[in-house]
């Protein structure tokens, strides 16, 4: 295992070195070469008819998180629409970086025509990316860790997740107060950007104090423990922002256990069904939904265009929306056409 890990790290370093002479390291939130998801047809024309023999592989972080299961549903729905084969696999958990790499390498060896990958970290799938590139197999990085060498990325503006939540606090707490962040996994682009967006926006206001910002590694239990400690240290805390909904729901439990539900607002990120249900019950204050099923469909559209030989923007940005009790019912729709209309009205 240590020998394998060393080879992975060596390959990653080699990939980064080679890549430096090709494209600049990808910063998906700020990449200028981008197209909004709503503009794909207008900018590049109708999707070319896919070959029914195509096999597209999806490599996910884990299936224990509803967000990633929903992303796979989007891939499969698009695959069924076009009559192509879609194989969606994931690592055992969000810490199984080598397991995820093995999945990607196996799909490449099995002759899949394209890979839609959601890396566990910014680096762990880079060796597979280089292998696919050497075989002219298109790879699309789909949320939320970002491979610096990725030629194509589909996902939302991660920093904006935190910005939207911070602006909610600024609007609803004009006198300010103490707030805290429960971060995701260190070394993951999305977690860093979500935290950065919240921190920069809330502190710029000048009325809020960010008293803690600690990683919980996407774990609900870790988030519960971290939030419990923060609440004991700062009993007058007015709010938490968690980098995903699983952790946010752990924070909700910690807030409730200390009798702070009326005082302390809690926001998450992703828009999973449990988050929506908690919002409707008046527990979780809100989430930033990034619509994984729709994102999966958009990512498959991008992949099929690449397989057909189209030259696309490096980044295709997908939608997101701040969800609270005021709009949770409307955005709970399972009708994708209605959802697209709602998003177009934002």
């Amino acid at each position: 295992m240590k020998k394998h890990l060393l080879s992975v790290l060596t390959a990653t370093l080699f990939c980064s070195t080679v890549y430096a002479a090709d494209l600049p390291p990808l910063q998906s939130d700020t990449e200028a070469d981008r197209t909004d998801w709503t503009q794909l047809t207008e900018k590049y024309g109708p999707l070319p008819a896919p070959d029914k023999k195509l096999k597209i592989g999806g490599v996910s972080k884990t299936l224990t998180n509803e967000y990633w299961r929903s992303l796979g549903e989007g891939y499969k729905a698009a695959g069924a629409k076009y009559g192509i084969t879609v194989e969606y696999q994931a690592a055992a958990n969000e810490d199984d970086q080598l397991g995820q790499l093995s999945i990607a390498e196996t799909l490449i060896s099995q002759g899949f025509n394209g890979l839609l990958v959601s890396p566990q970290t910014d680096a762990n799938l880079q060796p597979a990316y280089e292998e696919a590139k050497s075989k002219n197999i298109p790879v699309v990085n789909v949320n939320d860790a970002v491979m610096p060498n990725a030629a194509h990325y589909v996902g939302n503006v991660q920093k904006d997740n935190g910005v939207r939540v911070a602006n909610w606090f600024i609007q609803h707490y004009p006198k300010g107060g103490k707030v805290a962040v429960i971060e995701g996994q260190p070394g993951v682009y999305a977690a860093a950007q979500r935290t950065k967006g919240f921190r920069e926006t809330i502190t710029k206001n000048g009325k809020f104090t960010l008293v803690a910002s600690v990683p919980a590694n996407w774990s609900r239990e870790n988030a519960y423990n971290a939030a419990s400690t923060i609440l004991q240290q700062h009993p007058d805390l007015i709010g938490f922002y968690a980098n995903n909904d699983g952790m946010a729901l752990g924070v909700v439990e910690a807030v409730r256990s200390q009798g702070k539900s009326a005082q302390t607002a809690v926001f998450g990120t992703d828009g999973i069904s449990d988050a929506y249900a908690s919002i409707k019950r008046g527990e979780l204050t809100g989430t930033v939904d990034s619509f994984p099923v729709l994102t999966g469909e958009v990512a498959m559209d991008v992949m099929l265009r690449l397989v057909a030989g189209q030259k696309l923007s490096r980044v295709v940005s997908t939608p997101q929306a701040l969800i609270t009790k005021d709009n949770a019912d409307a955005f709970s729709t399972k009708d994708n056409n209605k959802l697209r209309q709602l998003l177009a009205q934002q």
Side-chain angles (χ1 to χ4, degrees):
M1 180 63 73
K2 289 183 178 179
K3 184 177 180 181
H4 188 189
L5 180 59
L6 180 60
S7 66
V8 169
L9 294 175
T10 301
T12 298
L13 179 61
F14 172 75
C15 294
S16 299
T17 302
V18 170
Y19 182 71
D22 190 0
L23 289 168
L26 178 61
Q27 300 290 327
S28 63
D29 279 6
T30 56
E31 170 63 48
D33 182 18
R34 65 195 304 118
T35 298
D36 187 78
W37 68 283
T38 60
Q39 300 300 311
L40 278 170
T41 300
E42 178 181 331
K43 190 171 181 178
Y44 300 108
L47 180 71
D51 186 334
K52 303 294 185 182
K53 296 180 181 179
L54 283 179
K55 298 192 301 179
I56 305 299
V59 182
S60 186
K61 293 174 71 171
T62 177
L63 297 182
T64 61
N65 184 324
E66 181 188 327
Y67 178 90
W68 301 111
R69 296 197 301 272
S70 298
L71 184 71
E73 290 174 15
Y75 293 163
K76 292 179 179 179
K81 177 180 177 180
Y82 300 120
I84 63 174
T85 298
V86 176
E87 181 73 26
Y88 189 58
Q89 298 183 25
N93 55 62
E94 297 206 40
D95 294 321
D96 187 15
Q97 296 178 32
L98 290 179
Q100 191 188 40
L101 175 61
S102 177
I103 289 169
E105 292 174 334
T106 298
L107 291 173
I108 293 169
S109 70
Q110 291 175 342
F112 277 71
N113 305 104
L115 294 183
L116 298 161
V117 302
S118 299
Q120 292 198 346
T121 73
D122 296 351
N124 75 297
L125 293 187
Q126 287 190 22
Y129 175 82
E130 289 298 324
E131 182 181 355
K133 185 178 177 182
S134 71
K135 297 180 178 180
N136 295 316
I137 299 172
V139 176
V140 177
N141 189 154
V142 187
N143 269 336
D144 52 21
V146 178
M147 295 184 292
N149 54 345
H152 295 284
Y153 177 90
V154 174
N156 60 301
V157 177
Q158 299 295 344
K159 187 177 180 180
D160 193 46
N161 289 289
V163 171
R164 288 175 187 242
V165 175
N167 283 333
W168 184 94
F169 277 102
I170 291 168
Q171 178 183 353
H172 289 81
Y173 291 86
K175 295 182 180 180
K178 295 179 180 180
V179 292
V181 175
I182 304 299
E183 304 170 15
Q185 183 177 352
V188 173
Y189 180 83
Q193 288 295 99
R194 292 171 188 175
T195 298
K196 181 179 180 181
F198 182 84
R199 183 183 64 248
E200 289 183 350
T201 306
I202 206 79
T203 55
K204 184 178 180 180
N205 174 262
K207 297 181 180 179
F208 292 83
T209 302
L210 182 60
V211 298
S213 185
V214 296
N217 298 303
W218 311 122
S219 164
R220 183 168 178 162
E221 180 181 358
N222 290 351
Y224 173 90
N225 293 333
S228 297
T229 299
I230 293 169
L231 284 168
Q232 289 167 6
Q233 295 170 342
H234 303 279
D236 55 344
L237 195 83
I238 64 166
F240 284 97
Y241 170 51
N243 282 176
N244 81 352
D245 285 338
M247 295 190 301
L249 293 172
V251 174
V252 166
E253 294 173 9
V255 169
R256 182 169 54 237
S257 70
Q258 296 194 30
K260 302 288 186 180
S261 297
Q263 168 190 307
T264 308
V266 182
F267 277 84
T269 311
D270 283 347
I272 66 173
S273 60
D274 283 349
Y276 270 81
S278 184
I279 291 168
K280 293 176 183 179
R281 290 195 300 267
E283 300 165 347
L284 184 65
T285 312
T287 184
V288 183
D289 195 341
S290 51
F291 309 103
V293 175
L294 179 56
T295 297
E297 294 176 356
V298 172
M300 185 63 74
D301 187 316
V302 168
M303 172 57 70
L304 295 177
R305 290 176 182 276
L306 292 173
V307 170
Q310 289 191 349
K311 305 298 183 183
L312 306 182
S313 297
R314 193 175 186 189
V315 170
V316 174
S317 54
T318 54
Q320 61 214 99
L322 184 72
I323 307 299
T324 65
K325 62 182 179 181
D326 296 330
N327 61 358
D329 286 334
F331 277 99
S332 294
T333 180
K334 300 299 182 183
D335 183 335
N336 248 0
N337 290 327
K338 187 174 182 179
L339 177 60
R340 289 170 184 263
Q341 292 173 4
L342 284 171
L343 291 168
Q345 295 168 6
Q346 288 201 111

